[in-house]
Amino acid sequence: MADLKIQGITPVAGKLKLGSSDVSKIYSGSTLVWPMTGDPYEPVFGTARFVATDNAGAINLYDTSFNTITPPNPFGLLPNSNYNLGGVSDNLSYMVACGDDFTSEQIKISLDGGQTFSNPSSGTFESDFKKTMVSKSGKVILSAVPNTANPPTSDANWMLSTDYGVNFIKVTLPSVIAVLNVTGGAVSSGGKFIAISNRVYTDTGTYIDKAFYSKDYGATWNDASSFGQGDKKWKPLISGSGEYLIFINVSDPSNSFYSSDYAENFIQKNYTGLEIQAATILGTAMNESGQYYIFSETLYAPGGVVAYGNNYGSTLPQNRISTDNTGARNVRISNSGETIFWSDEGSSQPDYSFSDNFGAAWSAVQSAPNSVGMGTVFLVDVN
């Protein structure tokens, strides 16, 4: 990681001067080395646990073999059988409940560790767990409202909370009227850095796939048009700290883009060899440092494949593991990177596999117990 130190100490902003003028930035070549602008959230580096709902709609805590564990506080039920978990924070402190693409359920927030769920104070809206992102801190939540009009209206857009889901505001993307379909997304551990790929309806009346990223908790957004993207889908990955941000070009992996300095600069990456068939929010995960990662590569017959590695995404693909015929859109990683996991979020008793040694070895592909229902399985660090 690029980081300026003077006598072993990183200088505080405003303390470096050139003559009588404050120094604002220092570069080594094209790499920003000061000030560091990473996500300030300090994640939990604890024991890896799984959180999932059962067929009765109850939320359960499991170890990595899906043995039930008693949570610190008793979990409640999801609002009804149409709901899925949309996100769980470190230490189980905050949870989000959503509908899916077949229902029109309103988003619900839990501020008490999953004991109760209620509407946001700012009002609720339709939600889809496959189009919802929650930071590890639980503070930042991003959820896309589905489109129901033709031509699309601004009602179909991203909704953003930066206060644990108490209040949501509508996101304003550059030159975008409506968000029609979400094809990828990632968020840093505290939510400072966000990347999204979506099909949008623009203010010129055109439909196009575009990518955007934010470096300030979604307050402002950068159009990734500098990538020469045209009408393309992207699969974004972000490290927990925000230091690494990768946009994999789904249709042409040889023309992907990579930042290792908190999205200050991007370089083109040739990821020839990847066979990306689809892009979804559930399909990418990176640990806090960015060294370890996993993402869905192929999802369909003759067999699904996830790519994983420990090289900060500098070259892809590094390693692959077969998921048999399972669509492994649901991939997760612990903050340290020690535990890595994939499962099929589209079936009851989802097939899954995990590694508890940084990807060095994997468990056999197996099915979760009969009680585990459809929807996502979250990997959470718990003290």
Side-chain angles (χ1 to χ4, degrees):
M1 178 176 74
D3 188 2
L4 176 72
K5 292 185 182 296
I6 299 176
Q7 295 183 338
I9 299 173
T10 300
V12 176
K15 297 297 184 180
L16 284 183
K17 295 185 180 292
L18 182 62
S20 59
S21 301
D22 288 337
V23 175
S24 60
K25 293 182 180 181
I26 299 176
Y27 287 84
S28 175
S30 62
T31 302
L32 179 72
V33 295
W34 187 88
M36 301 309 292
T37 54
D39 193 317
Y41 173 69
E42 296 183 5
V44 173
F45 292 95
T47 303
R49 299 298 189 208
F50 294 158
V51 180
T53 54
D54 62 24
N55 289 320
I59 304 168
N60 289 304
L61 183 65
Y62 303 95
D63 65 16
T64 51
S65 296
F66 276 98
N67 298 305
T68 305
I69 299 172
T70 302
N73 296 299
F75 295 149
L77 294 171
L78 292 178
N80 64 50
S81 61
N82 291 328
Y83 274 88
N84 290 281
L85 280 174
V88 182
S89 74
D90 282 349
N91 266 343
L92 311 170
S93 303
Y94 306 95
M95 297 187 188
V96 178
C98 303
D100 58 29
D101 49 359
F102 300 107
T103 66
S104 56
E105 300 297 345
Q106 308 289 297
I107 197 166
K108 304 285 186 180
I109 307 298
S110 176
L111 303 176
D112 57 7
Q115 297 178 77
T116 61
F117 288 85
S118 59
N119 294 337
S121 297
S122 56
T124 192
F125 52 88
E126 288 187 27
S127 60
D128 182 346
F129 77 97
K130 296 180 183 178
K131 300 176 182 177
T132 299
M133 294 181 286
V134 180
S135 64
K136 291 292 187 80
S137 65
K139 180 178 182 179
V140 174
I141 305 166
L142 203 67
S143 187
V145 179
N147 176 61
T148 58
N150 187 20
T153 69
S154 60
D155 290 337
N157 221 314
W158 288 100
M159 298 295 290
L160 171 70
S161 174
T162 56
D163 60 1
Y164 305 94
V166 175
N167 297 286
F168 281 84
I169 60 171
K170 187 178 297 183
V171 170
T172 301
L173 297 174
S175 303
V176 170
I177 292 177
V179 173
L180 305 180
N181 189 33
V182 177
T183 55
V187 60
S188 63
S189 60
K192 180 177 182 180
F193 297 86
I194 308 169
I196 53 177
S197 173
N198 32 220
R199 189 156 187 82
V200 299
Y201 180 63
T202 71
D203 55 10
T204 61
T206 58
Y207 298 85
I208 189 172
D209 282 290
K210 294 177 72 69
F212 301 88
Y213 61 95
S214 174
K215 301 185 287 184
D216 55 9
Y217 300 94
T220 60
W221 293 85
N222 301 282
D223 185 338
S225 57
S226 59
F227 300 167
Q229 59 175 305
D231 189 6
K232 295 183 177 67
K233 296 179 177 66
W234 301 84
K235 181 182 281 287
L237 293 88
I238 296 180
S239 63
S241 67
E243 183 176 5
Y244 293 88
L245 198 166
I246 304 172
F247 282 97
I248 300 173
N249 188 327
V250 173
S251 57
D252 180 14
S254 67
N255 190 30
S256 299
F257 288 84
Y258 180 96
S259 174
S260 58
D261 61 359
Y262 304 96
E264 292 290 327
N265 300 280
F266 286 87
I267 60 173
Q268 185 174 348
K269 279 285 188 178
N270 185 345
Y271 292 143
T272 298
L274 285 179
E275 298 178 5
I276 304 292
Q277 291 182 339
T280 71
I281 280 179
L282 299 176
T284 67
M286 240 180 165
N287 83 310
E288 178 68 13
S289 70
Q291 180 176 358
Y292 302 96
Y293 56 87
I294 179 172
F295 59 89
S296 303
E297 188 176 352
T298 60
L299 300 175
Y300 311 114
V305 172
V306 293
Y308 68 97
N310 60 5
N311 64 356
Y312 300 90
S314 58
T315 59
L316 298 175
Q318 185 183 12
N319 302 297
R320 286 184 169 113
I321 184 170
S322 171
T323 66
D324 297 332
N325 290 318
T326 297
R329 289 179 174 86
N330 185 27
V331 296
R332 308 289 174 185
I333 195 165
S334 64
N335 292 325
S336 67
E338 183 174 8
T339 305
I340 312 174
F341 167 84
W342 65 260
S343 72
D344 173 18
E345 101 291 341
S347 64
S348 185
Q349 291 182 255
D351 287 345
Y352 75 98
S353 180
F354 74 95
S355 170
D356 58 6
N357 54 10
F358 302 95
W362 288 79
S363 69
V365 177
Q366 52 202 303
S367 295
N370 291 337
S371 61
V372 177
M374 296 181 64
T376 50
V377 177
F378 289 91
L379 194 164
V380 180
D381 278 81
V382 177
N383 281 330

